[in-house]
Amino acid sequence: MVEAGHNRPPFGAPPPPPPPPLGVARGPLFPPQDQLQQLHYCIQSNPSWVQTTILGFQHYIVMLGTTVLIASTIVPLMGGGNGDKARVIQTLLFMSGINTLIQTLIGSRLPTVMGPSFAFLIPILSSISDYSSRTFSSDHERFIHNIRTIQGSLIISSFIIILLGFSKAWGNFTRFLSPVVIVPVASLAGLGLVMRGFPQLANCVEIGFPMLILLIFLHQYLRRFLPRFHHMLERYCIFLCIGIVWAFAAFLTVVGAYKHAKMSTIQSCRTDRSYLISSAPWVRIPYPFQWGRPIFRASDVFGMIGAALVSTAETTATCYAASRLSGATPPPAYVLSRSIGLQGIGMLIGGICGAAVGITAAVENVGLLGFTRVGSRRAVEVSAAFMIFFSIFGKFGAFFASIPLPMFAALYCILFGIVAAAGISFIQFTNNNSMRNMYVLGITLFLGISIPYYFWSYANASNYGPVRTHAGWFNDILNTIFSSPVAVAMIIGAQLDNTLDAQEAINDRGVPWWVPFQDRKGEERNEEFYGLPFKFNMQYMPTRFPMPTRFPYRNRT
């Protein structure tokens, strides 16, 4: 007994060290990083002017696909011809350049290209349908009447977005979005655009699929065999791919490969079917009320307001992904309010100048930041100059706008995927082993895909949305909102995350990490990344938010 007692550890000896966490012996653990470390240039660092110019032109090429696709979709339905389509594309490019400069200089300050939004298609198609039974003297007169109605609706709906932004209401709402909600919201900014990826590529597999394979090979594999050209291939291989595949498509067109193909294949594959070069004017500057006096109809205005709210949600989600891929910290609430307010002003200018749709942050260009590993703000500002230049000198811009759309779709298959991955990376700031977080994430992500898929499938089959009451304006609002994966995820995620044990799971949700970034003085890097380039002493420009007394992310003491 005495001998056994001598084997006991002496009084006060330190306890044995705890066992290492499960899995440590199998590999390293990677701590969370609020800024990506593998970028060649972050938001504030700039390549040489030559490289910046080339990267800016690449941003311009990437955003062309969405612009041309939207114009090619709605202009024929409105009664417009090839000349009208060329002028619509010029106007959209001009407004994209103006709004991109506004956002990069005094808006979000993130390297985001502002381009036309697909969210406005539903109310626009509804407005076109309302005029389908009316008689016009010509198709061009029908087109003018339709676009003047769109002008009026954009002008009125823009004031709602201006009010949301500059009243700080949108910034206060984003405070309720914890990292658990940001994951599905930001990832669906890319995943929600799956129909613009391979389904669009499949319209012409013989040029779309080679484009996709060549892009992956040059970007990821060839640079391993040619280390001297590593950075060049990583940043500029898009130009090489477009040149090779575009030449191949032109060869197929010349040899008559599509002589006996169906009309949809001819439109997608041939390089001489856009008719943009022949119909675009040499020089033309978009000007206010170029199509005539706007037409204001209440039913169309309400539907456009729904689309404007969706574009606001999509811009916010894209900004979160852009901050990640440009090496910045997450955008604070006051920056998002400032950005949305200026987006509303951009929509107002677009409505006055006759833009066919509203604007949003271009997801594909945010994906390009990660693709090239260059998050420089200056490169995006240079791209805005290219947009304005080619919108004015129409013949030159029409040449690049005639790139077949399946080639753009191949690009989007990669760029949208990068944006989705950037959104998923926010999960590192939450407790991945929390069943509560799994529940919120799983339901938000699944319904964010499933509900819009149902709305789009129903609309494609029936030519109208599932919500069909006697009030057309009400139908357009709900059909537009629930057709957007980002908007659905934001609604469902914010509701679940703030009502299911929100205070008890405050650490699991990543709120202690998230809160400092939401206030101007909460994180010293906020002013570094999002401060205005010059002192702005204007009361209506939101610069800070007072902390509410019952802030949802703070422990109540």
Side-chain angles (χ1 to χ4, degrees):
M1 297 288 295
V2 176
E3 293 179 356
H6 284 295
N7 293 330
R8 295 175 183 173
F11 181 76
L22 185 64
V24 169
R26 304 191 188 108
L29 296 177
F30 299 97
Q33 295 181 348
D34 51 18
Q35 290 178 263
L36 289 180
Q37 304 297 317
Q38 298 180 356
L39 298 173
H40 299 155
Y41 296 93
C42 68
I43 184 173
Q44 291 182 307
S45 57
N46 302 305
S48 66
W49 275 107
V50 173
Q51 294 185 64
T52 300
T53 302
I54 298 174
L55 289 166
F57 184 69
Q58 191 168 237
H59 274 285
Y60 161 72
I61 292 294
V62 167
M63 67 84 59
L64 266 180
T66 298
T67 305
V68 175
L69 180 59
I70 288 179
S72 300
T73 300
I74 64 174
V75 171
L77 298 176
M78 295 164 63
N82 294 321
D84 298 320
K85 182 171 71 172
R87 286 188 288 274
V88 167
I89 291 175
Q90 285 182 271
T91 304
L92 291 176
L93 281 176
F94 186 81
M95 295 314 306
S96 295
I98 296 297
N99 284 286
T100 299
L101 286 177
I102 290 175
Q103 289 295 332
T104 54
L105 290 175
I106 60 174
S108 68
R109 297 284 288 155
L110 288 166
T112 52
V113 170
M114 302 300 292
S117 172
F118 276 89
F120 292 85
L121 288 188
I122 292 179
I124 288 176
L125 295 177
S126 177
S127 175
I128 294 173
S129 177
D130 291 342
Y131 286 121
S132 60
S133 58
R134 292 186 56 175
T135 302
F136 295 92
S137 60
S138 65
D139 286 340
H140 182 70
E141 183 185 352
R142 180 186 298 276
F143 167 79
I144 293 297
H145 199 84
N146 275 301
I147 201 164
R148 286 168 57 199
T149 304
I150 294 172
Q151 271 189 271
S153 301
L154 281 175
I155 290 172
I156 299 300
S157 61
S158 67
F159 288 104
I160 303 298
I161 307 306
I162 293 173
L163 181 63
L164 270 181
F166 291 141
S167 69
K168 307 178 184 179
W170 187 256
N172 281 326
F173 167 72
T174 60
R175 291 177 178 272
F176 290 88
L177 306 179
S178 75
V180 175
V181 184
I182 297 300
V183 172
V185 167
S187 61
L188 284 176
L191 291 178
L193 301 174
V194 291
M195 296 306 295
R196 290 170 54 193
F198 201 86
Q200 189 74 33
L201 179 153
N203 289 336
C204 188
V205 178
E206 49 267 44
I207 62 174
F209 193 68
M211 178 74 180
L212 178 61
I213 297 300
L214 187 62
L215 193 61
I216 296 174
F217 175 75
L218 294 181
H219 187 258
Q220 291 295 326
Y221 293 99
L222 183 61
R223 62 188 178 93
R224 302 177 188 274
F225 300 104
L226 301 173
R228 291 182 59 186
F229 301 97
H230 176 95
H231 294 307
M232 184 177 295
L233 288 171
E234 191 171 55
R235 296 176 194 172
Y236 313 119
C237 68
I238 287 180
F239 290 123
L240 184 58
C241 293
I242 289 178
I244 294 174
V245 179
W246 199 5
F248 176 65
F251 172 77
L252 293 179
T253 301
V254 171
V255 300
Y258 306 110
K259 279 186 177 180
H260 306 290
K262 56 184 180 181
M263 184 54 63
S264 59
T265 302
I266 293 175
Q267 294 290 344
S268 299
C269 298
R270 290 183 65 99
T271 58
D272 57 355
R273 287 293 173 169
S274 64
Y275 301 108
L276 292 176
I277 298 177
S278 59
S279 55
W282 278 102
V283 179
R284 183 178 184 273
I285 301 177
Y287 55 89
F289 308 115
Q290 58 178 317
W291 310 110
R293 181 177 58 85
I295 298 175
F296 300 96
R297 293 203 322 166
S299 58
D300 296 320
V301 168
F302 281 107
M304 203 68 78
I305 289 175
L309 293 174
V310 168
S311 70
T312 299
E314 292 175 345
T315 295
T316 302
T318 307
C319 282
Y320 285 125
S323 68
R324 192 86 182 126
L325 294 174
S326 62
T329 53
Y334 71 90
V335 170
L336 291 174
S337 266
R338 186 175 71 197
S339 173
I340 296 306
L342 290 170
Q343 179 175 320
I345 291 179
M347 286 180 56
L348 175 61
I349 298 173
I352 292 174
C353 292
V357 294
I359 58 170
T360 189
V363 178
E364 54 269 31
N365 291 86
V366 173
L368 187 61
L369 302 177
F371 184 83
T372 59
R373 298 193 187 188
V374 178
S376 170
R377 183 191 294 124
R378 181 180 293 172
V380 173
E381 292 171 344
V382 170
S383 74
F386 278 113
M387 296 175 210
I388 296 173
F389 175 83
F390 285 113
S391 67
I392 295 175
F393 298 96
K395 292 290 186 184
F396 300 102
F399 174 74
F400 297 105
S402 61
I403 298 174
L405 291 177
M407 292 174 58
F408 286 109
L411 281 173
Y412 297 159
C413 288
I414 297 176
L415 302 182
F416 292 161
I418 293 175
V419 173
I424 293 173
S425 69
F426 281 97
I427 201 173
Q428 65 183 307
F429 307 112
T430 69
N431 182 1
N432 298 335
N433 296 314
S434 167
M435 289 302 299
R436 182 252 182 211
N437 285 356
M438 292 183 186
Y439 183 88
V440 174
L441 279 171
I443 290 182
T444 304
L445 192 60
F446 183 82
L447 292 181
I449 297 174
S450 183
I451 292 177
Y453 177 79
Y454 166 72
F455 271 72
W456 277 108
S457 299
Y458 194 102
N460 289 335
S462 307
N463 292 325
Y464 52 83
V467 181
R468 196 180 188 196
T469 65
H470 295 294
W473 60 270
F474 180 76
N475 302 339
D476 290 342
I477 291 177
L478 291 189
N479 286 326
T480 301
I481 291 176
F482 288 102
S483 296
S484 168
V486 171
V488 172
M490 194 172 285
I491 294 171
I492 296 176
Q495 178 69 22
L496 292 176
D497 188 49
N498 288 278
T499 57
L500 297 179
D501 302 325
Q503 291 299 321
E504 293 79 358
I506 194 168
N507 292 324
D508 291 344
R509 297 161 61 203
V511 172
W513 171 83
W514 187 252
V515 166
F517 295 109
Q518 298 307 299
D519 188 65
R520 188 178 191 182
K521 297 183 179 179
E523 168 59 49
E524 60 183 8
R525 289 169 293 178
N526 284 352
E527 188 64 22
E528 176 186 354
F529 295 129
Y530 301 104
L532 297 174
F534 44 85
K535 295 297 181 181
F536 234 171
N537 187 21
M538 300 170 67
Q539 294 298 321
Y540 62 85
M541 291 290 290
T543 57
R544 59 185 296 271
F545 283 79
M547 189 69 69
T549 56
R550 290 177 65 98
F551 188 57
Y553 293 155
R554 286 193 164 183
N555 285 317
R556 299 189 182 120
T557 57

